[in-house]
Each structure stands twice: as structure tokens, then as C-alpha cells.
């Protein structure tokens, strides 16, 4: 897994609407990458639904949150609609999992990312990471706010 | 805006909704959630004090905010758990006319119920519980703390 202090590898992926999104588009603001295993698995649904409920508070701290999984943009669109969320979802689809690999979040034997959170600062440097012990464990939204609070205290 | 950094589950206090006798079980539940509905019946059989905390996940269950506000409004007329039981027993009737019907069956003052459930005070009360759950790391419902 990538570590705090390292430069965040840039990437360009398509979102749920087929638009290209690059990490560098966000330069000047903080970004929270939410790597998750798969669309439509019940556990993921809870994670992104819960984060959606505190999205205004995350954005109030100047952070844009994006979800990333190996699913296609079409699956992402349907997943977004199903969950009723408007968090942007990026398709790490081809080459499969390339971005997750670059961040060290990919699990080869299962073919998808682990549940990992990566907070990137305004200059494109990794500020904080959290890796779940297993994909079954959902990181609470409180951890994101702890990370933001300690980043602000520095 | 309140802080959402980590914090332990707040112990039950006088403002909490409590029912039963025995050791306390603090339950973060979503009134629109099917898992909560089946867990609710089971939980209520325990010899325990159930402390109900609101945890509506609106994106997942669009009617949840309205249901939690309705329960809170019923609570202001002393019928909180009666409405919670009713909502979990019959999950198919959750539109406004159904809520009025349920309120009438419980003998609530309907006008007051309407004003209360749409009030900012009720929304803030629900949000307070929700935020304490977020701070305690709740990521799904029901979440039970013994």
C-alpha cells in the first residue's frame, strides 16, 4: 500500500457518465480516493451509502470524494442509481485494476481492490491512507474525519 | 457544522428513547431498513433495556428521514416505541397518508404530530443520534452496543 508522504500516482479513468477524470484535475484541492471491491456487493453498498450521508461535511473540509473499483462505467451508473448516491465513481476497468495496483490496493488472488482510503493533499501528495484488514470490514466515516482533523492540526 | 471525528458511543442518557428492564443495549437502527425490522422483533424479546438511536441512511432508504421524524414526533406525545413497532411490523405502508393513519390509531394529536415531524428541532434530534453513530464507526444497521 502506498504510504503517507509519497507522491500520489496520477491516473485518468472514465467516470459513471463516460467522462475522463484525472487526478491532476483536482490539483489545488484535497481528494479522497475510496477504493472498494465491487459494485452491487451488499457490503460496498453500505460503505458508499454511509459516506454519502456525510458528504456535505467532507466537502465542507475542502475534500472531493471519489469511489474507484474495477467495474465498468455502465455498472457504476446503475450502482449510483441503485444507491441513490451522487459520489463520482471511476472505472478502473482496462487495464483492469491498474490504478488500484499503482496505489498498492489491489488483491491479485480475488481480482479487485481491497477497501482502502487514500487522502491526497492539494499538491498531489499522499497525506493519509487506511487499508481494511479484509474487504469485509468497512472503514467508518469517523476515520476520514480523524485524518482530516490531524492533517489540519499539522 | 459539528465534528465527526471518532468518539465512543455516548452512554444512555435522559434524552434517549428507552424501553424495557435489564442491561442496556444501545441500538443504532434505520426505520427503512429490512434487516433492522427482522432484528427488532428479536431484540425486543431480550430482557434488556433497549436504547433506540436514530440512524437513517437516506440514500439507501429514501423514506427513512420521514419515518425517523415521524417516530420522534410520536415520541413527543409519549408514543415513540409504539410507532417504531408499527413501522417495523408493516414496512409496506410508509407514505404520508399511512403515517397519518398510524398516528390516528395511536391516538395522537394529528395536527401536533404534523408540525413536530416537520420541525427543525426533530430533524436536529435525529441528526444528533446519527452523528454519534458515525463517530462511533457505525457502517451498517442495525448496530448494537451492549
Amino acid at each position: 500500500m502506498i504510504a503517507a508522504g509519497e507522491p500520489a500516482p496520477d491516473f485518468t479513468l472514465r467516470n459513471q457518465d463516460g467522462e475522463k477524470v484525472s487526478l491532476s484535475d483536482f490539483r489545488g484541492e484535497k481528494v479522497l480516493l475510496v477504493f472498494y471491491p465491487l459494485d452491487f456487493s451488499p457490503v460496498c453498498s453500505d460503505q458508499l451509502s454511509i459516506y454519502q450521508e456525510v458528504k456535505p461535511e467532507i466537502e465542507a473540509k475542502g475534500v472531493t470524494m471519489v469511489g474507484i473499483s474495477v467495474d465498468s462505467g455502465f455498472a457504476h451508473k446503475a450502482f449510483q442509481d441503485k444507491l441513490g448516491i451522487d459520489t463520482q465513481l471511476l472505472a478502473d476497468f482496462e487495464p483492469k485494476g491498474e490504478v488500484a495496483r499503482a496505489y498498492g490496493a489491489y488483491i491479485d488472488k480475488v481480482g479487485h481492490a481491497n477497501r482502502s482510503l487514500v487522502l491526497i493533499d492539494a499538491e498531489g501528495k499522499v497525506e493519509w491512507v487506511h487499508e481494511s484488514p479484509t474487504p469485509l470490514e468497512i472503514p467508518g466515516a469517523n476515520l476520514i474525519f480523524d485524518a482530516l482533523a490531524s492533517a489540519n492540526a499539522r | 457544522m459539528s465534528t465527526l471525528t471518532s468518539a465512543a458511543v455516548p452512554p444512555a442518557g435522559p434524552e434517549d428513547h428507552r424501553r424495557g428492564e435489564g442491561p442496556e443495549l444501545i441500538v443504532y437502527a434505520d426505520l427503512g431498513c429490512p434487516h433492522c425490522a427482522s432484528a427488532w422483533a428479536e431484540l425486543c424479546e431480550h430482557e434488556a433495556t433497549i436504547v433506540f438511536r436514530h440512524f437513517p441512511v437516506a440514500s439507501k432508504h429514501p423514506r427513512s428521514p420521514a419515518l425517523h421524524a415521524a417516530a420522534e414526533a410520536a415520541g413527543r406525545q409519549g408514543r415513540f416505541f409504539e410507532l417504531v413497532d408499527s413501522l417495523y411490523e408493516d414496512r409496506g405502508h410508509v407514505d404520508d397518508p399511512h403515517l397519518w393513519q398510524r398516528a390516528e390509531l395511536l391516538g395522537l394529536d394529528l395536527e401536533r404530530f404534523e408540525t413536530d415531524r416537520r420541525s427543525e428541532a426533530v430533524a436536529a434530534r435525529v441528526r444528533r443520534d446519527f452523528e454519534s453513530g458515525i463517530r462511533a464507526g457505525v457502517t451498517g444497521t442495525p448496530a448494537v452496543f451492549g
Side-chain angles (χ1 to χ4, degrees):
Chain A
M1 187 78 204
I2 200 160
E6 292 183 42
D10 196 18
F11 57 78
T12 302
L13 294 175
R14 289 189 187 272
N15 70 8
Q16 71 285 338
D17 296 315
E19 298 157 349
K20 282 186 175 177
V21 176
S22 298
L23 179 63
S24 51
D25 297 344
F26 299 101
R27 200 56 52 86
E29 53 189 288
K30 292 190 178 194
V31 186
L32 177 70
L33 304 180
V34 180
F35 289 98
Y36 63 96
L38 293 164
D39 290 344
F40 299 105
S41 71
V43 179
C44 301
S45 314
D46 280 330
Q47 182 179 16
L48 293 174
S49 303
I50 297 285
Y51 293 179
Q52 176 76 27
E53 300 303 312
V54 295
K55 191 164 163 263
E57 283 85 353
I58 292 175
E59 287 175 349
K61 308 232 175 249
V63 180
T64 304
M65 172 168 64
V66 297
I68 304 181
S69 80
V70 295
D71 298 272
S72 73
F74 298 110
H76 277 339
K77 183 73 180 169
F79 188 49
Q80 238 192 4
D81 287 347
K82 177 177 179 267
L83 296 184
I85 64 171
D86 61 7
T87 301
Q88 182 157 227
L89 301 179
L90 305 183
D92 195 8
F93 183 70
E94 180 58 38
K96 187 185 174 194
E98 189 179 45
V99 175
R101 282 178 207 278
Y103 282 80
Y106 198 76
I107 309 175
D108 277 302
K109 65 178 178 189
V110 289
H112 59 62
N114 190 4
R115 241 171 256 290
S116 308
L117 304 174
V118 181
L119 180 66
I120 298 167
D121 72 11
E123 283 78 48
K125 204 169 71 181
V126 175
E127 190 166 286
W128 170 78
V129 296
H130 174 83
E131 192 179 12
S132 280
T134 77
L136 293 174
E137 281 181 52
I138 299 178
N142 53 318
L143 302 182
I144 299 168
F145 291 96
D146 290 349
L148 290 169
S150 67
N152 286 343
R154 276 200 292 272
Chain B
M1 210 172 262
S2 40
T3 177
L4 294 175
T5 49
S6 299
V9 177
E15 284 197 27
D16 273 308
H17 301 290
R18 313 155 60 101
R19 181 169 71 180
E21 297 290 332
E24 278 173 0
L25 290 178
I26 297 178
V27 184
Y28 284 86
D30 180 338
L31 289 170
C33 159
H35 305 295
C36 294
S38 49
W40 186 246
E42 211 176 296
L43 269 173
C44 291
E45 285 172 10
H46 281 76
E47 276 195 28
T49 306
I50 305 287
V51 179
F52 185 101
R53 298 250 168 97
H54 299 283
F55 202 81
V57 183
S59 54
K60 203 168 181 191
H61 307 115
R63 279 298 283 168
S64 289
L67 303 183
H68 283 268
E72 195 56 42
R76 298 194 172 202
Q77 297 185 48
R79 310 303 293 272
F80 179 82
F81 282 103
E82 287 82 350
L83 190 56
V84 168
D85 290 340
S86 145
L87 289 168
Y88 278 145
E89 275 161 21
D90 172 9
R91 298 188 52 253
H93 296 87
V94 292
D95 293 333
D96 279 358
H98 303 132
L99 295 180
W100 300 327
Q101 212 171 14
R102 291 179 198 260
E104 271 181 342
L105 278 173
L106 293 177
L108 301 185
D109 172 340
L110 209 52
E111 206 172 313
R112 191 179 155 203
F113 174 73
E114 274 303 282
T115 311
D116 283 346
R117 80 186 178 99
R118 294 172 194 281
S119 69
E120 277 183 26
V122 156
R125 173 67 185 79
V126 170
R127 185 72 188 177
R128 198 186 71 196
D129 277 358
F130 179 81
E131 289 183 354
S132 76
I134 288 286
R135 300 189 73 182
V138 172
T139 53
T141 55
V144 181
F145 297 87

